[in-house]
Amino acid sequence: MCRPDHFAVRYSINVWMDPDQPVDRDLALAQWETLRATYERLGHRVHLLHPLTGLPDMVFAANGAFVVGDHALGARFRERVRADEAPAHRAWLEGVGIGVHEPSAVNEGEGDFAWAGGRILAGAGFRSDPAAHDELAAVFDAPVVPLELVDPRFYHLDTALAVLDRDTIAYYPPAFAPASRDLLARMYPEAIVATEADALVLGLNAVSDGRHVVLAAQAVELAVAVARAGFEPIPVDVCELLKAGGGVKCATLELHHPNTAEEQP
Ligand code: ARG
C-alpha cells in the first residue's frame, strides 16, 4: 500500500475524476489508515511503498505491478501522468527479491489482472493493451482469460469484478462485452452478480483473502450476497478515493502465493 500523502484530483484520466470537485486529503488519509489497520487486524502483513510528490494517484498501488510468488510483471501506464509510479514499484519489489519482468505492452498491473487460483483473468478495453495478455501468460506460465470491458465507468477489471476465492467471483455483467459476459457465466455459474448501485460505489473493488471480503461500506446489498455465499464482509469507507475512481482494491497490491487464489495484501 502507499499512503495518500499527495492524493489529489488534478487531472482527469477516467470519468470519475473531476479536478473542480474538492478533495479532502485528511479524510482520504484517515480512510486509508482504517483500511490498512483493517488488513492488519485480519492478520495480514502490509508493506508500504514510499509516496512520491507529483504522483497524486500513487495511492492506487494495485496498478504498479502484478505479482505471484517471486515473479512480477511490471506496469507500463497508459497515461504519462502515472508513468513514474512504475519504477518505484519495481525498486520495491526487487528490493524484496521479486523478479520484475519489464513489460512491452501497456498494462496497469492488478487493476486489470486478477489471480484466480492458477489462472489469470485479464481485462482490456480502456487501459491495459490485449498484447499484455501474452506477456502475462509467458511470465507466469498460467492460462490467461481475456475479458473485454465496455463501460468507461468500469475502466479497470478490478472495478467490475472481484475474485473471492478460487471458484467464486462477484461481478457486474453489463461492464463486459457480450462474449466476455458469456464466458464468465460459463466459467462461474455460481457467481455473485452485483447490482448497478453497488457497482457504482465500486463495491466490486474489493479484496478477499478467501474468507474475509474487504469492500466499500456503501455496497450494502453486495455485502449481504457475500455473506450468503459464506464469506465475511468487512465494510470500509473509502469514499474520498472514489473521487479519483478508486476504492479498496485499487489501494492494495496483493502479493499472491502461487498455490492459492488469494494471499496477503
Ligand atoms: N485515478 C486512477 C486512474 O485513473 C485510479 C486508479 C484506480 N485503480 C484501480 N486499480 N482500478 O488511473
Coordinates of all heavy atoms in Angstrom, one line a residue, residues 13-14 17 57 60 62-63 82 111 127 155-156 158-159 244-245 250, ligand 1:
I13 N -8.3 11.3 -15.9 CA -7.9 10.2 -16.8 C -9.0 9.1 -16.7 O -8.8 8.0 -17.3 CB -6.5 9.7 -16.6 CG1 -6.3 9.2 -15.1 CG2 -5.4 10.7 -16.9 CD1 -5.0 8.5 -14.8
N14 N -10.0 9.3 -16.0 CA -11.2 8.4 -16.0 C -12.4 9.3 -15.7 O -12.3 10.4 -15.3 CB -11.0 7.2 -15.1 CG -11.0 7.6 -13.6 OD1 -12.0 8.3 -13.2 ND2 -10.0 7.2 -12.9
M17 N -13.1 11.3 -12.4 CA -12.2 12.4 -11.9 C -12.6 13.7 -12.4 O -12.7 14.0 -13.6 CB -10.8 12.1 -12.3 CG -10.2 10.8 -11.8 SD -8.6 10.4 -12.5 CE -7.5 11.3 -11.3
D57 N -1.9 9.9 -7.9 CA -2.7 8.6 -7.9 C -1.9 7.5 -7.4 O -2.3 6.3 -7.5 CB -3.0 8.3 -9.4 CG -4.4 8.9 -9.8 OD1 -5.2 9.1 -8.9 OD2 -4.5 9.2 -11.0
F60 N -3.0 4.4 -5.5 CA -3.6 3.2 -6.1 C -2.5 2.2 -6.5 O -2.2 2.0 -7.7 CB -4.5 3.6 -7.3 CG -5.6 4.6 -6.9 CD1 -5.6 5.9 -7.3 CD2 -6.5 4.2 -6.0 CE1 -6.6 6.8 -6.9 CE2 -7.5 5.1 -5.5 CZ -7.5 6.4 -6.0
A62 N -2.4 -0.9 -6.6 CA -2.7 -2.1 -7.4 C -2.2 -2.0 -8.8 O -1.9 -3.0 -9.5 CB -4.2 -2.4 -7.4
N63 N -2.1 -0.7 -9.3 CA -1.7 -0.5 -10.7 C -0.2 -0.7 -11.0 O 0.2 -0.7 -12.1 CB -2.2 0.8 -11.2 CG -3.7 1.0 -11.1 OD1 -4.2 1.9 -10.5 ND2 -4.4 0.1 -11.8
R82 N 1.0 9.0 -14.8 CA 1.2 8.0 -13.8 C 2.5 7.2 -14.1 O 2.9 6.3 -13.3 CB 0.0 7.0 -13.7 CG -1.3 7.7 -13.2 CD -2.3 6.7 -12.7 NE -1.8 6.0 -11.5 CZ -2.5 5.0 -11.0 NH1 -3.6 4.5 -11.6 NH2 -2.0 4.3 -9.9
G111 N -4.8 -3.7 -11.5 CA -6.0 -3.0 -11.9 C -6.8 -3.9 -12.9 O -8.0 -3.9 -12.9
R127 N -7.6 0.5 -20.5 CA -6.2 0.8 -20.1 C -5.2 -0.3 -20.6 O -4.4 0.0 -21.5 CB -6.1 0.8 -18.5 CG -7.0 2.0 -17.9 CD -6.4 3.3 -18.3 NE -7.2 4.4 -17.7 CZ -6.9 4.9 -16.4 NH1 -6.0 4.3 -15.7 NH2 -7.6 5.9 -15.9
Y155 N -13.4 1.0 -15.9 CA -12.3 1.1 -16.9 C -11.2 0.1 -16.6 O -10.3 -0.1 -17.4 CB -11.8 2.6 -16.9 CG -11.3 3.0 -15.6 CD1 -10.0 2.9 -15.2 CD2 -12.3 3.5 -14.6 CE1 -9.6 3.3 -13.9 CE2 -11.9 3.9 -13.4 CZ -10.6 3.8 -13.0 OH -10.1 4.1 -11.8
H156 N -11.1 -0.4 -15.3 CA -10.2 -1.4 -15.0 C -11.0 -2.6 -14.6 O -12.1 -2.5 -14.0 CB -9.4 -1.0 -13.7 CG -8.2 -0.1 -14.0 ND1 -7.8 0.9 -13.1 CD2 -7.2 -0.2 -14.9 CE1 -6.7 1.5 -13.6 NE2 -6.3 0.9 -14.6
D158 N -10.7 -4.5 -12.1 CA -11.0 -4.6 -10.7 C -12.1 -3.6 -10.2 O -12.4 -3.6 -9.0 CB -9.7 -4.4 -9.8 CG -9.1 -3.0 -9.8 OD1 -9.7 -2.1 -10.5 OD2 -8.1 -2.7 -9.1
T159 N -12.6 -2.8 -11.1 CA -13.8 -2.0 -10.8 C -15.1 -2.8 -11.1 O -16.2 -2.4 -10.7 CB -13.8 -0.7 -11.6 OG1 -13.9 -1.0 -13.0 CG2 -12.6 0.1 -11.4
A244 N -11.3 9.8 -7.3 CA -10.3 9.6 -8.3 C -10.6 8.3 -9.1 O -9.8 7.8 -9.9 CB -8.9 9.5 -7.7
G245 N -11.8 7.7 -8.8 CA -12.2 6.5 -9.5 C -11.5 5.2 -8.9 O -11.3 4.2 -9.6
C250 N -8.1 -1.0 -5.5 CA -7.1 -0.1 -6.2 C -6.0 0.3 -5.2 O -4.9 0.5 -5.7 CB -7.8 1.2 -6.7 SG -9.1 0.9 -7.8
Ligands
ARG1 N1 -7.2 7.8 -10.8 C1 -6.6 6.5 -11.1 C2 -6.5 6.2 -12.5 O1 -7.4 6.6 -13.3 C3 -7.4 5.4 -10.4 C4 -6.8 4.1 -10.4 C5 -7.7 3.0 -9.8 N2 -7.0 1.8 -9.7 C6 -7.5 0.6 -10.0 N3 -6.9 -0.4 -9.7 N4 -8.7 0.5 -10.5 O2 -5.6 5.6 -13.0

